[in-house]
Amino acid sequence: MRRELHAEWTKMRTVAGPAWLLLGVALLTVAVGAAASAVMTCPFGQCSYDPARISLSGVQLSQALVALLAIAVVSGEYSTGLIQTTLTAMPTRGRVLAAKAILVTGTTLAAGTAGVLGSILAARLILPDTGYTFVHGYALPSLTHGPSLRAAVGSVLYLGLIALLSVGIAAAVRDTAAATGSVLAVLYVPSLLVLISNPDMKEWIFRLAPTNAGLTIQATTDLAAFPISPWGGLGVFAAWATAAIALGRWLLRHRDA
Amino acid sequence: MTTTTRPRSQARAARDGFAQLLRAEWTKFRTVRGWTIGLVVALLVIPAFGLLFAANSFSSCMQGTKEVACPVPPTGPGGEAVNDKFFFVHQPLTGDGTITARVASLSGTITYPPPNHDKIVPGNTPWAKAGLMIKEGLEQGSSYAAVMVTAKHGVRMQHDFTEDAAGSASAPGGRWLKLSRSGDTITGSESADGRTWSTVSTVRMDDLPDTVQIGLFVASPDDMTLTGNSLGGSISTSRLANATATFDNVTPSATGEWTRTDVGVTLGPDGHTPHRPGEATQSGDTFTVTGNGDIAPVTADGVRYSSILTGTLAAMIAVTVVAVMYITAEYRRGMIAITMLASPRRHRAIAAKAVVIGSVTLAGALVATVATIAVSLPILRDNGNFILPISFLTQARIVGGTAALLAVTAVFALGLGVIFRRSAAAIVTTFALIVLPYILATTSLLPTGPAQWLLRLTPAAAFAVQQSMPSYPHVLTSESPLEGYFPLPAWAGFGVLCIYAALALGVAIHRLRSRDV
């Protein structure tokens, strides 16, 4: 396994794309979170917004960059034909995918941690200036506040799971364009289904949709309004990511490259 | 010595014709199975979302303990759904005539809704109105013209629900109003003292019968509060409002008894007691009238056509993927070199590709949107939903505009594909410029102000073609993207997308010419 990790790390480190994408993940998380905190207003004198979700909303955009990173590392080899060399050099295909998954997820966790810490810092600097008044238990995001800490750690884990999910989908779909489309659809389309007026159906979609369920981890207030608990939601998302990786691994092993 | 000859036979010139290029590009498109499948999937997503939405939208109303079909709002003279509920003190008027009155005061109460049903506060909602009206008859939805004072919007002259003209911005108390009919022309005037009059507006109403109802009216729309919902979307709560106006110096030109009608009053669960009735008392030429409700188009409380086409966004992702692959596959396989050899004037090959992908998407999407609307509407009606009526032209704009939106998006994605030469970058850029701003703006992630700017500046502005309800300045609604209102008119929004697509194609052609393939 060390050999595979070393080889994959060399590939990732020696092209410019992955480093830029990782930098983008951290910066986009902070920038969008800071912008969201800055434009926050409290209509009708009531702030019903969750400060943790606002400050961490950048994750909803930087997740797309994480997906791109995974696709570049996995599908990119198919478009250049490098995959054949890779699999000739390292015939244990499961391990190749595992090495890619470990590296993409590990670097994502690092970039995600930087982004999430930056977002919380930005929110602590910006939110008090926007006239955001904290009523009934709404508090500034802080790492010493239990639910905020859970939201922060959970957001980093969420980005890591996005990396796993995307590696799995990219290995299954292979083509860069198709993989990009599939991942974007999985990440963003289910949130459109909230338009459905049937409340039971809506709740079930929310519980099962990977991003809706997964992002519940960011909620720190009004938890009863969510159809799923924060860790339960992240669990659902973890199940999706595991399924995607398993599918990718199975297809990689049973299909001609 | 070498001589270079440049063979330019007629046969070659013919092969270089644009029709041949189109044929070549069309052949490429239809013979790659993945692209055809991708496009079909993209277009099937639209009916799939439409049917899922239709089959899961139910509407039912309770009368006491039994479930009944929901009341359908009346329709106004223009065919639009309207609210037509107010208290009317009136008498018939045959032929021409004038009514004059002074609105001495306008006051009212606002009730907080359940669960904290605990407060009744004095006050008026901004569009609480009292004034003079000429109405075709007492049926809801019949034609009318009225001049009125409002709580916060000054003096207005409104007619036939959708039309609204502003008079002076004076406060409601102590304003004189005059409404007169002369043939098909109705004139509303206002005055500070009852002697010098200024005209608010003059309207022509062709279908008014000879005998109409003329009199005093009071209405007050309910107050509305929108709060964000953790799951996305918003929750609107309404607060019941009543308005009371005192009219004095009432001088009708027609003689006769005054009749009181609570137009559009709803009955309580027992079927005969009026629910929230209005009232009127008279003493000499002074009337005190209390009423509630509104006289205006209905813009909420019904299914909109745009909700049926939610799948457009998902389809857009798939269309983008196909359009990008249509060009990046050539780069990956080296096919682009042959394409450019066959068509040395490079822009023509790209133009041919744009025409093919654009028209294939347009045709397919048109079939998909028309079929989706046709199949979903009956299901929605069967489930008891009221569908907000819109004109045929608006329907055509929504259906055709959605197809055009997808087609131009495909062309835009194709342009980006040439610029980047790599699938992932082109797809993500298209997504980030069109799909993402739309999601951010319409799913309560952003406040209204930034959301509207996103829908002005990014190609997502083109989703304005799906706006189903016009925005009426005299109706209290939250005109945010969240509620389906766009900051730009439909074709201006579509124009923004076209500009982006043209720019992308322009840059693409420039880069194709200036760099090696």
Side-chain angles (χ1 to χ4, degrees):
Chain A
M1 188 75 194
R2 273 190 65 191
R3 221 167 53 100
E4 283 86 357
L5 277 173
H6 183 72
E8 292 303 327
W9 174 240
T10 310
K11 276 190 252 174
M12 249 181 100
R13 169 171 76 71
T14 50
V15 287
W20 283 112
L21 284 171
L22 286 166
L23 185 67
V25 169
L27 291 183
L28 198 61
T29 309
V30 180
V32 174
S37 304
V39 297
M40 225 50 241
T41 50
C42 300
F44 314 110
Q46 269 192 316
C47 286
S48 54
Y49 296 102
D50 183 338
R53 285 178 84 201
I54 303 285
S55 55
L56 295 172
S57 54
V59 166
Q60 300 188 32
L61 295 192
S62 57
Q63 62 180 3
L65 294 186
V66 173
L68 272 188
L69 172 70
I71 290 164
V73 168
V74 180
S75 298
E77 291 209 15
Y78 284 96
S79 46
T80 52
L82 181 65
I83 189 73
Q84 279 158 8
T85 319
T86 303
L87 295 182
T88 313
M90 301 178 285
T92 324
R93 295 185 173 189
R95 278 198 207 162
V96 173
L97 190 66
K100 283 183 188 291
I102 288 170
L103 287 172
V104 172
T105 312
T107 47
T108 300
L109 288 175
T113 307
V116 164
L117 289 177
S119 306
I120 288 182
L121 185 66
R124 292 186 66 86
L125 293 175
I126 296 168
L127 277 182
D129 291 341
T130 55
Y132 197 105
T133 45
F134 295 98
V135 285
H136 49 276
Y138 287 55
L140 268 182
S142 143
L143 292 181
T144 54
H145 173 235
S148 294
L149 180 64
R150 187 247 300 141
V153 172
S155 299
V156 176
L157 293 178
Y158 173 85
L159 285 175
L161 289 171
I162 292 276
L164 276 184
L165 178 87
S166 314
V167 167
I169 293 178
V173 179
R174 297 191 285 194
D175 180 86
T176 323
T180 313
S182 312
V183 175
L184 291 179
V186 169
L187 295 188
Y188 293 100
V189 169
S191 56
L192 302 175
L193 293 171
V194 295
L195 274 178
I196 286 174
S197 68
N198 179 344
D200 291 342
M201 182 99 174
K202 199 164 162 173
E203 292 201 345
W204 273 109
I205 290 172
F206 194 96
R207 285 189 195 112
L208 293 178
T211 45
N212 287 345
L215 283 171
T216 315
I217 198 74
Q218 294 187 339
T220 59
T221 56
D222 203 16
L223 289 181
F226 290 86
I228 195 164
S229 72
W231 288 109
L234 200 66
V236 168
F237 186 42
W240 279 107
T242 315
I245 278 285
L247 176 71
R249 183 170 186 270
W250 190 83
L251 284 174
L252 183 67
R253 293 180 62 179
H254 289 87
R255 196 165 57 178
D256 195 10
Chain B
M1 193 183 123
T2 332
T3 318
T4 347
T5 49
R6 306 183 70 189
R8 283 274 168 189
S9 72
Q10 273 195 324
R12 194 193 150 108
R15 262 212 314 279
D16 199 24
F18 194 65
Q20 266 71 20
L21 267 180
L22 275 182
R23 183 153 169 247
E25 292 302 334
W26 164 240
T27 311
K28 280 187 215 166
F29 183 82
R30 74 183 161 77
T31 49
V32 178
R33 208 178 40 177
W35 300 345
T36 320
I37 294 175
L39 197 63
V40 169
V41 166
L43 301 177
L44 284 179
V45 168
I46 299 175
F49 270 67
L51 288 179
L52 193 65
F53 170 74
N56 285 289
S57 298
F58 296 94
S59 172
S60 65
C61 294
M62 302 301 281
Q63 193 172 59
T65 50
K66 68 174 194 288
E67 204 169 300
V68 293
C70 289
V72 169
T75 46
E80 68 286 332
V82 296
N83 278 314
D84 199 7
K85 181 174 178 339
F86 58 98
F87 202 86
F88 197 21
V89 179
H90 57 97
Q91 51 181 259
L93 167 74
T94 306
D96 296 348
T98 298
I99 182 171
T100 311
R102 187 177 83 107
V103 183
S105 68
L106 178 66
S107 60
T109 54
I110 301 176
T111 312
Y112 283 75
N116 305 324
H117 205 17
D118 48 359
K119 257 196 237 167
I120 298 181
V121 293
N124 280 125
T125 55
W127 279 106
K129 49 192 84 147
L132 313 173
M133 180 187 285
I134 282 176
K135 192 164 167 71
E136 182 188 350
L138 297 171
E139 312 78 54
Q140 284 185 290
S142 59
S143 192
Y144 75 95
V147 62
M148 66 201 77
V149 297
T150 61
K152 293 278 157 56
H153 294 279
V155 177
R156 319 290 290 201
M157 168 116 183
Q158 299 180 347
H159 71 282
D160 288 354
F161 305 96
T162 54
E163 306 308 311
D164 169 57
S168 73
S170 36
R175 203 75 190 157
W176 289 76
L177 299 173
K178 182 163 79 178
L179 189 66
S180 46
R181 174 179 187 185
S182 160
D184 288 339
T185 309
I186 315 273
T187 307
S189 322
E190 60 171 312
S191 164
D193 50 13
R195 284 189 295 273
T196 45
W197 293 90
S198 59
T199 302
V200 180
S201 177
T202 301
V203 298
R204 236 188 108 76
M205 301 177 73
D206 290 332
D207 298 327
L208 222 49
D210 200 34
T211 299
V212 293
Q213 298 297 323
I214 187 167
L216 318 167
F217 81 94
V218 173
S220 173
D222 294 335
D223 200 11
M224 188 184 64
T225 309
L226 282 180
T227 40
N229 176 353
S230 313
L231 304 189
S234 63
I235 305 166
S236 97
T237 35
S238 68
R239 305 189 290 180
L240 307 182
N242 269 311
T244 301
T246 311
F247 297 88
D248 54 21
N249 299 294
V250 179
T251 50
S253 58
T255 52
E257 280 298 297
W258 290 100
T259 314
R260 298 173 169 84
T261 306
D262 209 343
V263 176
V265 71
T266 48
L267 299 178
D270 59 4
H272 50 83
T273 317
H275 177 59
R276 295 176 68 201
E279 57 175 10
T281 54
Q282 180 183 4
S283 118
D285 68 350
T286 303
F287 291 79
T288 305
V289 184
T290 299
N292 56 55
D294 201 5
I295 314 164
V298 173
T299 54
D301 303 326
V303 174
R304 296 180 186 174
Y305 278 67
S306 54
S307 335
I308 304 170
L309 294 176
T310 316
T312 311
L313 211 55
M316 190 172 264
I317 299 179
V319 165
T320 304
V321 170
V322 173
V324 166
M325 282 170 103
Y326 187 39
I327 179 73
T328 54
E330 294 220 9
Y331 282 106
R332 216 175 63 211
R333 309 264 174 224
M335 175 82 171
I336 189 77
I338 297 166
T339 306
M340 292 298 140
L341 264 181
S343 162
R345 282 180 286 168
R346 295 181 174 182
H347 64 279
R348 288 163 55 99
I350 292 307
K353 271 193 187 295
V355 169
V356 168
I357 194 74
S359 37
V360 169
T361 310
L362 183 71
L366 206 53
V367 173
T369 48
V370 170
T372 305
I373 295 281
V375 175
S376 303
L377 283 184
I379 300 177
L380 280 165
R381 289 206 181 94
D382 278 356
N383 288 348
N385 297 288
F386 170 68
I387 292 142
L388 284 168
I390 51 176
S391 68
F392 178 75
L393 270 182
T394 313
Q395 291 180 33
R397 187 248 293 154
I398 293 175
V399 167
T402 301
L405 166 66
L406 287 170
V408 180
T409 302
V411 173
F412 180 54
L414 179 81
L416 291 178
V418 178
I419 295 171
F420 288 112
R421 292 188 283 191
R422 304 175 67 141
S423 315
I427 292 170
V428 168
T429 309
T430 315
F431 179 84
L433 284 173
I434 308 186
V435 181
L436 204 55
Y438 181 75
I439 293 181
L440 288 176
T442 55
T443 51
S444 86
L445 288 169
L446 280 180
T448 305
Q452 286 184 329
W453 277 109
L454 272 186
L455 293 178
R456 282 190 192 106
L457 298 178
T458 66
F463 276 96
V465 295
Q466 291 190 336
Q467 179 170 326
S468 315
M469 297 312 296
S471 96
Y472 296 107
H474 59 293
V475 181
L476 179 74
T477 39
S478 159
E479 294 191 347
S480 62
L482 189 62
E483 305 297 315
Y485 289 91
F486 288 83
L488 291 180
W491 295 111
F494 186 66
V496 172
L497 173 64
C498 290
I499 291 172
Y500 272 89
L503 274 178
L505 274 188
V507 174
I509 288 169
H510 174 76
R511 299 199 69 172
L512 258 186
R513 281 183 178 154
S514 57
R515 77 186 170 197
D516 198 9
V517 287

